[in-house]
Every structure is written in structure tokens, then in C-alpha cells.
Amino acid sequence: MKNRVILFFLGFGLLLNAQRGKMPYQDANLSIEERINDLLPRMSLEEKVAQMRIFHANIGVESDEKGRLKLSDRVIEKLKLGIAGIKNPGEHISPAAAAKLNNELQQYIMKSNRWGIPALFVTESYNGVDAAGCTKFGRPINSAATFNPELVNRIWDVVGREARLRGMHMCHSPEADLVRDPRFGRMSEAFGEDTYLTTQMVLNAIKGVQGDYKGLGEGTHIGAVAKHFAGYGQVLGGRNFAAVEISPRTLIDEIYPPFEAAVKEARTLGIMASHGDINGVASHGNPELLTGVLRDQWGFDGYVVSDSNDIARLYYFMKVAESPEAAALMGLVAGIDIDLYAEDSYAYLPEMVKKDPSIEKMIDRSVRRVLRTKMRLGLFDNPLVDVKKAEKEVRSQTSLALAQEADLESIILLKNEANTLPLAKNKKKIALIGPLLNQETQEAFQAIAGEDITFVADKGFELTDGKKGVPNVLPTDEKALDRLTGLANDADVAILFLGGDEFTAKEAYFNNALGDRATIEPVGPQDELVRRVKALGKPVIIVLKHRRTLAINVMAKEADAILDGWDLSEMGDTALAKVIFGEVSPSGKLPVTVPRSIGQLPFHYSMKEINNKKGYLFLEDGPLYPFGYGLSYGNFTYDDIQLSGATMTPTSEITVSTKVTNTGSMAAKEVVQLYIKDEIGSVTRPDKELKGFEKILLNPGESKTVSFKITPKMLEFTGLSMKKVLEEGDYTVMVGTSSKEGVTARFRLEK
């Protein structure tokens, strides 16, 4: 691949205005629609189609040894007519270097196309901005575990600011999917199994990353692309690209709400279509979904982007189109505006228009949406970023402190026999062992514990061979097990770092890469290590680090205490040490149900009541840990529920209240959760549904009355007619500490 260094000899204003005067679409005083109406008719068909395509920067966008923009011949050719956007330019260089690169890249793009149309630079966010030098936050599943939407909003505000500072404009995040199958390798990228919790997280993530929308045009934040619309997390067998079989009622009542909120309340700029199908209809070719629901019902006016290469896959993978051209037309008709990466899809549109000129009207529709997004982001008027600000403000101490704050609120205490935790900061010897131990862990723990505690640390063994495509579980290393057991034997306390590495739960890419699992037990000799250390008679504390739910039956039985950290931020070890040594009480709650066995799947707390009628032979009923569960160093008691009335109507509300008291000896946070159960419905109903939560801080002996309003909207569901209904009848309300434990009362809805 040939590369050319791009030099800038002219000022940016000269580049833009050379050989053309100022046109109406360049006038920031006009409305966005007026500007689009002026620009769109000026564009050739080929220029329009260029605004419907995104390519990845890895085909030839980079910096040379002097930090100057270097483009491959392939990229130069692609940019002659303009482009919708480029994925991940500058992702592997520092924020300041990326800001410089992206400024030069944007200048080149605007100079190279006739109308000076800027490009969208697109990133993703699974641990903060997915680029070098940005603040590394915990994963979205960690955010969900905080049960703190305001905190999540602040996290994503930083994500939006850091991305914009390095010259990015859109983010293929957050995921609004529900994840209910721990076999699925992408589980940690989403916010858990529950509709209400996911909706609150998605709302606050989008509002944060977009600067509550006003940060877009001000140039301080980026646009969100909520994904994957719709039902992607429900793939059969938990296998990426597999079919999605889901009832229309479940789709409407449980899968759609986070996306609907993203559109109507958070005003997301973009939506990404799902890899999969829904009951046999490929999502990328589904006009009822992408136009009927998304646009006609919800009023979405942003752009829809394909997942990578998925329009072309309508032909060669999904096999619902007769040819690549038919696949392109199917995606266009369905309502997909931008083709991500493919060379064998929307690239065919100019030739297709020659045969069928009516296609150009649909092209104009999509280009209008893309141009609207670019103008909402202010890119026509202020396309560049301040390189010095990127150097100063990305990954600031304030952002790192926020990452640690989020970690502290996401860590979940699953077990604490005989108050094993917190550990006292006195003279002890503590062994830090296990395959999920980080190199920096000992230093972080020492800093929190002080010099009176001696630490020994040894990872012992790896879980996998680290192959990116198809990793293999390594054979048991008996010498390593013996060595770790010996370290634990010589210590007063053993802290075992267990769970799964980045290779045991990951995205299963299309070409020869696996990330989903057929089993959910911890891999390798982790359970054996737990048994051996437990046999020593020393206190055993387990710290879980993982990206998918694990059936930790042996650990749950043998450990004295278990802290679930999922995938914490770069400050995670410090946060864990603060929790273990009692500087902060854990307050995270499970955003998913933890099953005892893969044989219980599907298994989430809000399944229909009839699913709980029978258990399984030779297996204890119920989950290992229920949704919403999490212990504390405080001790919370709940008074009986007080209702403002025994009945409500379709036009009234009921207030439910309970007093929560911390009877423990340490200040702690509790997530007070509201669940509602419809006792009788015209269709079978969920066992219960989360409808509200509030995280509160209580000092020892302190009480607080927590109140929730129950509205008619909370009680609506899709009835026999497949329309939303509000049915007369009895309802049970529970307020408590998890989906399994709380105080209850009843009320009646009367019409």
C-alpha cells in the first residue's frame, strides 16, 4: 500500500474558499434544514453516495515519523468525493497527536471534495474512549452495577469531552441491548438483563456523551449511536450472528424501551442496526423496524448505520437477497443511511440508479440525515479542535478520581461470612494470588493498607494462551498451584484474584474468531486452587474479575468473602483495596441474575411466573445470586410499606414509602429497589418487574424515608390485541434490597 505525506502550505480558510465564493449552506445564520436544502441539490450522485459510507482508518490513515498526516493511495482515492466518516483515526497515538492528525485529516477532506463537506470521525466506548491515552473507566456492566444514573452521566460526560478533544465526533456506543445469556461473549458491553435499569443507564450515558445535546454544536461533546437495534443480545445459544427468536410482545415491552428512550428522551444522533434477524426478518433489511418503529412511531431523524459489512451480508450470509445489488437496495429501502466498511454494498448505488432512477430519492433521504448530523455537530463551521487542550485535559486527575469513584460504587459484595471483611490494618501477612492478579495490584494494596501489612504476590498461571482469534485454555500447572498454595499457607489471609481474562469473554468476530462459550464455569484450575487454599484453614477472600456471568458454585461454597469487580477501571486495584480494608463500604448490586448452572438458561429475574413452577432434578432451585443483590458493611432494615392509597385509577398515582435504617456501625450506601407484580393479566405476566430505585447514603443509626410514585404508565403492557393496555386488577409492590428480599403491600387499579 502506497502512502503519501500530506503537507499544508495554505491557511485553512484559503483552502476552503479557493475557487468558490461563500454559498448559503456555508451560512451558519441559516437553519440546518435551509442549509441542507441548498447543499443537497448541488451534489452529484457519486458525491451523495460518498456521504453514505464509512471506512476504517487502518486502511491507510496514519502519522509519519515527524507527526505529519500520511495517507495511502487507497484512502486518497476514497476521499476525492468526500466521505460520511472514518472509524478510529489516531486511535493508537496520544490525545494531542490524535488531535493534530485529525485536524490535518479534516482539512484534507474538506479541501479535497468540491463542497468542503467535513467527515465524521467515529470511536467506540467500552472502557471510556477506545483510544490511547484516554481515561480507562470500568465497563458498562460495571456502570449498571452502581445503580447510580447520575454517576453514569458524569462518566459519559468525560467520555464525550475526551473524544471531542482528540478530534472525534461520533461514538458507536452505548449498547441498549439487554444481556440475559452469559454464554454471549459481549455481555459486559451492555448494562445487564433488566429493561428499566438498562433504560436509565442508556439515557444517562447518551445525555452525558452528547453534553445533554447542547454540547454537540458547542464542540465540547460527541454524538451517540445507540446499538444494536434490536434484540441483538438475545441471539440463540448466546452465539454471535445466530438467529433471534423472540415474541413480538417481549420485543415491545422489554427490548424496545431502552432504544425508545434513547430516541425520544436522550435525542441520540445515531442508531446502529443489529447483526441478527428478528423471527426470520434480517434487521438490516427490516423496514418495519428501521422505518416503521424507529422513525414513524418514535420520530427519529438522525442516521442509521449498519454494523460492519452487514448490508452486504444480507446476500452472502443472511441469504435473504438474491445479489449484492439486491442487498444494497434492501438496506436502503429498510432505512439504513450509512454502510460501514463494505466495498460490495452501497458502492453499487451509482450504477443501480442508472438502471432505476427512483432509487436516488432514497439516497437523498439518507444523505440529508448524514448532513443534518454533521451540522448538528457544528462541523461545517468549526471543524477543528484545540491540540493544546487535548494535551492538558484528557485523562485529568479529576477524570481518574471519577473512575475510582465509579469503581467503588460498582464493586459487589456477594458473600461475607463472619464479617471476614473489612480487614483490619494491623500487622498481617497477606498473599495476593491467582491468574487475574495485575502487576500493579501489590503496590496499590500496599498504599492503602500501610506499612504494617506485608504482601506477597504471585499470579501463578494464565488461564489462556492469549491467542486473539481462538484462544485455548492452558493445561493445569501443578507446580504453580503448589507454589500459590505455599504462599497462602505462609500468610494470615489469602486474597485470590479469579474469574476470566479478556480472552474468555469477547466479541466473536465473523472471520475465525470465537468469544462465546458453551459453559459458564470458571476455566482452568481456579476451583482447584480455591479448594487447596481453603483446606489450609486460613481466611479465603475471592476477588472476581470477569466480563461474563460465571457459575461460581465452588467459590460461593468455599470462600469466606467474595467481591465481584467485573471489569474495573485503571483505578480498580486501588478501589478494591479501599473496600477490602474498610475505607469504603461496597454498594454495588448485581445487574444480572447469577445462575447455578448453564442448564437453567434462559434465566432472569423478571421471567414469567409460570417459569418458576418446576425446578430441575439434582439442582437446588433458584439462582446462585439474584438480580439486584449485593451486601454491605452497613446493616439496613426496612420498615413496612406505607401506601398513599389502596386503589388507583388510570388518571391517578400512588406513592409508596418505606423507612430504611442503617443499624450497622459504618456509613454505607444502599440501593432501595421498587418492584411491581401484576397478579392477574390477560396474558401471562412477569414474576415481577423493577420500576424504580434510589441509592442512598446512611450513617450508623441514621434513617431515611424513601418514596416512589407508581404511575399508570408503569402498569401498562402489550395485551391480547398487541396494543398497550392498562388492566384493572390487583398488584403487589415490593421495596427492598434485591429482587428476592423486601417488604410488600398490595393495591388495586380500578377503572
Side-chain angles (χ1 to χ4, degrees), residues 391-592:
E391 187 173 15
K392 293 179 181 178
E393 297 181 17
V394 175
R395 199 171 171 271
S396 67
Q397 289 302 311
T398 301
S399 297
L400 292 174
L402 176 61
Q404 185 176 138
E405 179 185 352
D407 287 342
L408 289 169
E409 291 212 17
S410 73
I411 294 169
I412 307 161
L413 180 60
L414 295 180
K415 184 178 181 181
N416 195 20
E417 287 290 318
N419 295 321
T420 300
L421 293 176
L423 295 179
K425 294 182 180 179
N426 53 21
K427 292 182 179 180
K428 288 183 178 179
K429 185 175 183 182
I430 298 177
L432 308 176
I433 58 176
L436 273 296
L437 184 70
N438 294 329
Q439 286 186 343
E440 305 83 9
T441 304
Q442 182 176 353
E443 181 181 355
F445 272 55
Q446 193 76 69
I448 298 301
E451 297 303 319
D452 288 340
I453 295 180
T454 300
F455 291 96
V456 291
D458 189 343
K459 186 171 188 172
F461 56 91
E462 301 284 352
L463 297 178
T464 66
D465 58 11
K467 291 183 179 178
K468 291 185 177 180
V470 184
N472 297 295
V473 177
L474 294 172
T476 298
D477 185 339
E478 288 291 342
K479 290 183 179 179
L481 286 176
D482 289 342
R483 187 172 70 252
L484 296 183
T485 305
L487 289 177
N489 189 46
D490 291 338
D492 298 302
V493 177
I495 302 178
L496 281 62
F497 293 78
L498 307 173
D501 63 20
E502 64 184 291
F503 302 102
T504 60
K506 62 188 182 70
E507 183 175 358
Y509 294 106
F510 195 73
N511 294 319
N512 193 34
L514 301 178
D516 310 314
R517 284 186 59 196
T519 61
I520 55 173
E521 288 75 28
V523 302
Q526 297 186 82
D527 285 346
E528 178 61 22
L529 177 61
V530 173
R531 290 189 185 97
R532 292 189 187 188
V533 176
K534 180 65 175 180
L536 301 174
K538 307 292 179 69
V540 176
I541 299 167
I542 291 177
V543 171
L544 287 175
K545 295 184 177 183
H546 56 119
R547 291 183 175 181
R548 61 153 42 88
T549 301
L550 296 171
I552 54 167
N553 295 284
V554 171
M555 297 180 191
K557 178 183 177 182
E558 302 291 352
D560 296 286
I562 302 174
L563 286 172
D564 189 351
W566 284 91
D567 189 359
L568 297 165
S569 80
E570 61 181 295
M571 307 299 292
D573 283 336
T574 297
L576 285 166
K578 286 186 174 183
V579 169
I580 287 172
F581 291 104
E583 290 191 12
V584 177
S585 173
S587 63
K589 298 284 187 175
L590 282 170
V592 292

Side-chain angles (χ1 to χ4, degrees), residues 180 193-194 254 604-608 686-689:
R180 292 173 166 173
E193 71 180 44
D194 180 66
E254 300 178 33
H604 52 276
Y605 87 94
S606 57
M607 293 175 70
K608 295 172 183 176
D687 184 53
K688 61 174 68 74
E689 296 175 286

